[in-house]
Structure formats: structure tokens, C-alpha cells
């Protein structure tokens, strides 16, 4: 269970610039926002992936845990996630692709979200690049709720990619802060595949 049910409750006890930070950018011509609502040390590796997928073309919104320890305390579930700057970026975009971390040891991408067509296009591109992609067995990790932050763009539907811990560990030298600064070839293969899926959807 999350310690905080919303951002207001989190902000009352945590200090921005010490315990967490928010990084956003709106590209006026972009139809897509790439988001990491549990970035930094909350779900390690998701910030770096969101930045790289967004590149110079897409908007992005990243909420990062930067505490010395207990960053899991900063996790606000995606249906409740309401950090205002991140919400605004998504609301100004047609759709969103959310990058999350999941804790299983296998090397799997769990694809979800309410946009079935875009989800399929990204999943196919990832599979062609050699990644294992499937639907998560836990309904709470399938990203289909309309309240999920990935589904709050103007289209009402987006994509959620949950990367297992086993997969994320292959993208970096390690999942600690220093290790995440050194990405592997697999990291760039993943980023390229997601962007290929967005190209197929006519979004890039």
C-alpha cells in the first residue's frame, strides 16, 4: 500500500529538491508525452528510459525519488498520481507512454494501457527487437483504468510499459544511481524499438 494517496499529502511531508524532483518539458508540436511517474530511485531506470525515448521530439514528465533511502515511500499509484506539472504535460498531449518498473526477476516487458492499437504497435516493435512482451497477470498493472495517468491525454487512452527488474538490470551497468549513468546496448535497443512503434503509429 502507498504511504501517500496523492501529491498534496506527499508534499506535506517530503521536500522538493531534497527528497524528490520533477522534470517536465512540453514540445508544442508533439502528440506524445513520455512519462515516468515513479522515476529516480522509486522504480530505478524508468527516468533514464523516459528521457531517452522522448528525445528532442516528445514532451516528457518525470517524477523522481531522490531520497537517501526509502524512496518507495514516494510511490503514488498511477490512478491517483496528480503531481500538477506532470498532469498538465499529459493533458496537453494526445497520448502518453508511461514507463514503469516491475519487480519480477525475468526479462519481460508487460504492455498495458487503454490504447490497444498503439500498445500493439509498440509491442510488435519490441518483440521484433528481441524483447519478451506480454500482458501482466495482475489487473492493477495493466494500465487500463481511465484514471491512470497514461490515459489522461486528450485521446483518453495511452500505453503503459512495465519493465521487470530482471530486464531493467540488463539496460544499465547496475540499478544504483552510479550504474544507471552507464547504459548498455540493450538500453538503446529498447529505446529505438519504442520509438519505432511510435513511428508506425504516425506519432513521430
Amino acid at each position: 500500500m502507498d504511504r501517500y494517496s496523492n501529491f498534496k499529502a506527499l508534499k506535506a511531508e517530503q521536500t522538493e529538491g531534497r527528497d524528490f524532483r520533477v522534470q517536465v518539458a512540453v514540445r508544442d508540436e508533439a502528440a506524445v508525452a513520455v512519462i515516468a511517474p515513479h522515476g529516480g530511485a522509486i522504480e530505478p531506470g524508468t527516468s533514464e528510459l523516459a528521457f531517452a525515448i522522448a528525445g528532442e521530439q516528445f514532451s516528457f514528465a518525470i517524477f523522481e525519488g531522490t531520497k537517501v533511502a526509502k524512496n518507495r515511500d514516494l510511490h503514488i499509484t498511477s490512478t491517483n498520481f496528480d503531481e500538477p506539472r506532470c498532469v498538465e504535460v499529459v493533458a496537453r498531449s494526445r497520448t502518453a507512454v508511461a514507463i514503469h518498473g516491475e519487480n519480477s526477476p525475468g526479462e519481460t516487458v508487460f504492455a498495458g494501457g487503454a490504447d490497444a492499437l498503439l500498445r500493439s504497435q509498440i509491442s510488435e516493435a519490441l518483440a521484433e527487437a528481441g524483447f519478451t512482451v506480454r500482458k501482466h497477470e495482475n489487473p492493477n498493472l495493466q494500465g487500463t483504468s481511465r484514471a491512470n495517468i497514461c490515459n489522461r491525454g486528450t485521446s483518453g487512452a495511452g500505453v503503459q510499459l512495465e519493465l521487470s527488474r530482471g530486464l531493467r538490470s540488463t539496460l544499465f551497468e547496475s540499478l544504483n544511481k552510479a550504474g544507471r549513468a552507464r547504459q548498455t546496448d540493450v538500453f538503446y535497443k529498447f529505446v529505438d524499438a519504442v520509438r519505432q512503434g511510435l513511428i508506425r503509429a504516425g506519432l513521430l
Side-chain angles (χ1 to χ4, degrees):
M1 176 179 282
D2 289 338
R3 177 171 176 175
Y4 303 111
S5 61
N6 55 45
F7 180 69
K8 181 179 180 181
L10 183 151
K11 191 175 181 182
E13 295 185 1
Q14 307 288 341
T15 301
E16 184 165 2
R18 183 190 68 191
D19 302 318
F20 70 91
R21 66 177 175 177
V22 178
Q23 300 190 71
V24 298
V26 174
R27 274 72 187 249
D28 291 335
E29 302 301 318
V32 178
V34 185
I35 62 175
H38 307 138
I42 305 172
E43 293 174 355
T46 60
S47 295
E48 292 82 0
L49 285 165
F51 276 126
I53 294 166
E56 297 297 324
Q57 292 79 30
F58 299 126
S59 300
F60 65 80
I62 298 172
F63 178 85
E64 296 184 288
T66 56
K67 293 164 64 72
V68 174
K70 296 185 178 181
N71 282 275
R72 181 61 180 74
D73 287 351
L74 304 176
H75 184 282
I76 300 173
T77 194
S78 294
T79 51
N80 293 340
F81 185 82
D82 61 349
E83 195 291 316
R85 289 159 289 185
C86 295
V87 169
E88 181 181 2
V89 172
V90 174
R92 292 177 61 174
S93 305
R94 191 167 97 202
T95 190
V97 175
I99 308 298
H100 291 267
E102 189 264 4
N103 284 326
S104 60
E107 297 178 13
T108 307
V109 183
F110 298 98
D115 191 329
L117 178 58
L118 182 57
R119 183 178 71 233
S120 175
Q121 290 164 321
I122 292 175
S123 296
E124 287 175 5
L126 284 165
E128 289 170 10
F131 294 96
T132 299
V133 186
R134 61 184 177 88
K135 182 179 181 179
H136 205 288
E137 295 176 358
N138 183 346
N140 294 326
L141 296 180
Q142 293 174 6
T144 54
S145 169
R146 295 294 176 178
N148 189 300
I149 185 63
C150 78
N151 298 322
R152 291 191 228 158
T154 60
S155 72
V159 171
Q160 176 172 292
L161 300 176
E162 294 268 1
L163 280 70
S164 68
R165 189 171 188 88
L167 175 58
R168 282 180 287 131
S169 70
T170 72
L171 307 180
F172 306 92
E173 183 176 281
S174 71
L175 288 177
N176 63 29
K177 185 176 180 180
R180 296 197 309 272
R182 293 183 284 276
Q183 295 90 25
T184 68
D185 290 343
V186 183
F187 175 95
Y188 296 104
K189 183 187 293 186
F190 183 90
V191 169
D192 289 345
V194 174
R195 288 173 66 87
Q196 181 61 40
L198 293 169
I199 289 171
R200 293 178 186 181
L203 296 171
L204 177 59

